[in-house]
Amino acid sequence: MKRYILLIALTAFAGLSFCSCRKMAEDPKAKYIFLFIGDGMGSPHVDVTESYLSYKAGKMGGERLLMTQFPVYGTATTYSASHECTCSAAAGTALSTGVKTNNNCIGVDTNGNRLKSISYELKDDGYKIGIISTVPVNHATPAAFYASQEKRDEYGLITREIPESGFEFFASAGFIDYNGVSEDEDSAQWLERNGMDVCFGKDELKKAMTESERIVFCQEYNRGKEASNYESSGSKPDTETSLTDMLEYCLEFLGEDKPFFIMCEGGEIDWAAHANKTMPMIHHIIEFDKAISKAYEFYLKHPNETLIVVTADHETGGISIGDRSCDYKVYWKHLEEAWEQAGRSNTLTLKENAELNDKANIGWTTHDHTGGSVPVYAVGKGSERFAGRMDNTDIKSKILGD
């Protein structure tokens, strides 16, 4: 009898051990996770971009961005806890924490309580973390993945949370409120003193990658000064490091030995859309898609271990193919010629730009955000979870496989 009971106990224990090992072996999370956020990029922005690419190819439609060729497609609602039209802070918080909050809040709930972002959860699981953006690192969307503040414009306090995060790699345009982190030090000096290696430009970055464990990369043209905010006009200098290059450096720095999570934001899509600047917006989406291509190259090498998710925090501008006076055509030549004549910077006034959009039959309804849903594209391990309709708060749990 005792031997029988012992046999049952051992069998049960073996079964539990087998189930436990099986559960560990079937971790729903991908080893390598990429989350791309096209700030302000609604489905119509993608449609407009592909319409332009088709025009350039001499076709009536049919040209595709890489993201729209991913096998899984869904849509996400974006309202915040306080407004039908979310801001980037509340939307970034929803994406990173899975919790709705009020507009202008970063990483806290509606009562001001600190929330835990997916970055910290994955860090606790042994993942290395990279935060990348074409806009300043302490801007709302990137900040939502490492900071917790009740006001999104507390830029100095947000910057202070960078070293506290323990994350390995940050790359962006630079800082808003560059001198606001301390009375005695600017952002770079303060971060250096608190364990980060702050690099301006590619040369300094390459050196830091061989010597440092935690890096904050900034565009060289923002050395020692505040980065621009919501400026989408003006040609960038030749020293600019593209979003694709920043991602490539991040991949090299993080390596493949340990799992990683990378949030990569195309922030200037939103800035161009706020100004209703069609050609700059298209340019930024194309550049965003190039960075996605870099991640896709990585996925092809590790298809069973990699997840790529592409979405947006909200829609900006209410863009459409066709406007009130539409004759069912888009006159891309008008927009393209004006942009080329301006040196690809589109320095037109808002009124001149509106007239040009009307002439080309591209409609815009606002200079602010709308409450429209946004696209979700996915490929790789667990990508099937992103099909269909969802809320932006669902994306975190879908990435984690909860």
Side-chain angles (χ1 to χ4, degrees), residues 31-32 251 254-260 298 301-302:
K31 180 178 180 180
Y32 309 113
L251 288 170
L254 297 184
E256 300 176 19
D257 293 339
K258 290 187 176 182
F260 63 67
F298 184 93
K301 296 177 183 177
H302 309 277

Side-chain angles (χ1 to χ4, degrees), residues 113 144 191 303 349:
N113 298 309
L191 288 171
T349 65

Side-chain angles (χ1 to χ4, degrees), residues 37 123 193 195 249 311 344:
I37 300 175
K123 183 69 174 174
R193 187 170 58 80
Y249 286 127
T311 189
R344 296 176 69 84

Side-chain angles (χ1 to χ4, degrees), residues 98-112:
V99 178
K100 294 284 188 186
T101 193
N102 297 330
N103 278 13
N104 298 317
C105 291
I106 290 178
V108 297
D109 65 18
T110 55
N111 295 315

Side-chain angles (χ1 to χ4, degrees), residues 293-337:
S293 297
K294 176 59 62 177
Y296 190 71
E297 290 175 11
F298 184 93
Y299 157 77
L300 292 176
K301 296 177 183 177
H302 309 277
N304 298 319
E305 300 176 289
T306 305
L307 171 66
I308 304 174
V309 179
V310 183
T311 189
D313 51 353
H314 54 74
E315 196 275 353
T316 301
I319 193 172
S320 63
I321 300 175
D323 66 1
R324 290 183 298 273
S325 59
C326 184
D327 59 359
Y328 298 101
K329 293 182 180 180
V330 175
Y331 299 95
W332 285 112
K333 186 176 181 180
H334 298 320
L335 288 164
E336 189 175 53
E337 287 181 348

Side-chain angles (χ1 to χ4, degrees), residues 12-30:
F13 177 78
L16 288 172
S17 298
F18 173 77
C19 290
S20 177
C21 292
R22 184 180 179 185
K23 184 177 181 181
M24 291 176 64
E26 296 178 354
D27 189 340
K29 296 193 304 295

